[in-house]
Amino acid sequence: MVTPGLPHQNNIQQIGYKLLSMLNFQGEKVAKTLISACLWNDSVENKSRAYDVSPQTVRNYVEKQGMGVIEKLLERARKISLEVLKGVNEIDLSIDWTTKTWYGKPVKGSSEKGNSWNYATTKYKGKVLLLAFIPQVNGMTKEEIVKVLVEQVMAMGFKIRLITLDAGFYTVDVLNFISQFKYIVAVPVGDVKVYEEFDGDYTTNSKRHRRDEQVKFRLLVYSKEKVRRKSLVYFAGATNLDLPKREVLDLYNKVRGPIETSYRNIKAFLPFTGSTKFVFRTLIFVLAIVLYSLYTIFKGEVGREEFRLLLILLFPDLFNPENFTFNVIETLIYTIDLFLRR
């Protein structure tokens, strides 16, 4: 029986088939373990026991595949976004990162605090679409992160109309790079030390850069009342837009806000793991991104949890050994056409 108002069951099944074919592992149990951990938002270690495979075996498969399978998964997520954005030339871009703290000894090449994933999204017709992604490793600067993400987006053929970033990206080098675009960046008030309503020119005073390397921009400072303490809290933003202050702040919230929502939705598909391996943690995050990207296709017809539960209900059917005959090289475009056929 197909529930009225929800995506057709055949389309949901096609998603399940595609998920399995996306994971180009030789071990069927590994693919089942990883996808089921995503759908149940459970630990990889717990789900591996359900499929009678050791957690170490799952991790070994992933480590052996390396970053290659991660790139293939990302390419599929980008193709989904491109299909939704077909015919769109200009976009507003939001850039963010998220960090997962280490619970154990970090491995060489990762940050000391944990794994950081940086990504860029755009919103189109109510759908928050992932366009670019890069994991952060030791020594990578914020300018390099932003530059790589922007280059990935431009390589897809899009013209960037506006870039928004949060306060974590407020550096002289990032400002220098994004000044070629229209931009709005949140600014830590403590860095500019302006504790009053303000709209005017400001020049950075970073001690790491010479005077001729500093950046001049339009600084906007605004306040919000903290209800509990009945005190004003100040926020600031940097921009090169020539618009009224209120319009700039509203535009920042409009473009910036959806990326926070997208991360909450990605987390709903993100498995837990005790592993601190860089490649393994990156893969499960990217797998959660792919699931989120597939969910965006049906957004508006079905909620996130309904989508996840529909896949769970079909899970035993999808993972029946008789049906495990998926062609790994099956084209994604064909599958997307099935998803988009209403």
Side-chain angles (χ1 to χ4, degrees), residues 71 73-86 88-96 118-124 127-134 145-163 255 259 262 266 289-290 292-293 296:
E71 284 302 319
L73 286 169
L74 285 172
E75 184 61 26
R76 281 153 173 77
R78 284 190 284 262
K79 284 184 177 180
I80 292 171
S81 298
L82 282 170
E83 184 69 19
V84 176
L85 289 167
K86 187 177 290 183
V88 176
N89 298 316
E90 285 190 331
I91 59 169
D92 295 329
L93 195 66
S94 186
I95 292 175
D96 199 5
N118 309 272
Y119 50 103
T121 64
T122 192
K123 187 174 182 179
Y124 180 70
K127 303 179 189 297
V128 184
L129 306 167
L130 183 121
L131 298 177
F133 172 89
I134 182 174
I145 292 168
V146 173
K147 191 173 182 179
V148 168
L149 293 174
V150 168
E151 287 175 346
Q152 286 184 21
V153 172
M154 294 180 73
M156 296 170 75
F158 294 113
K159 181 179 178 181
I160 298 173
R161 184 169 44 216
L162 173 70
I163 296 180
V255 177
I259 200 169
S262 71
I266 290 170
I289 283 176
V290 173
Y292 165 76
S293 297
T296 61

Side-chain angles (χ1 to χ4, degrees), residues 181-197:
F181 308 97
K182 297 297 183 182
Y183 70 85
I184 312 173
V185 186
V187 174
V189 177
D191 286 7
V192 295
K193 297 181 175 60
V194 178
Y195 300 97
E196 61 182 2
E197 296 287 333

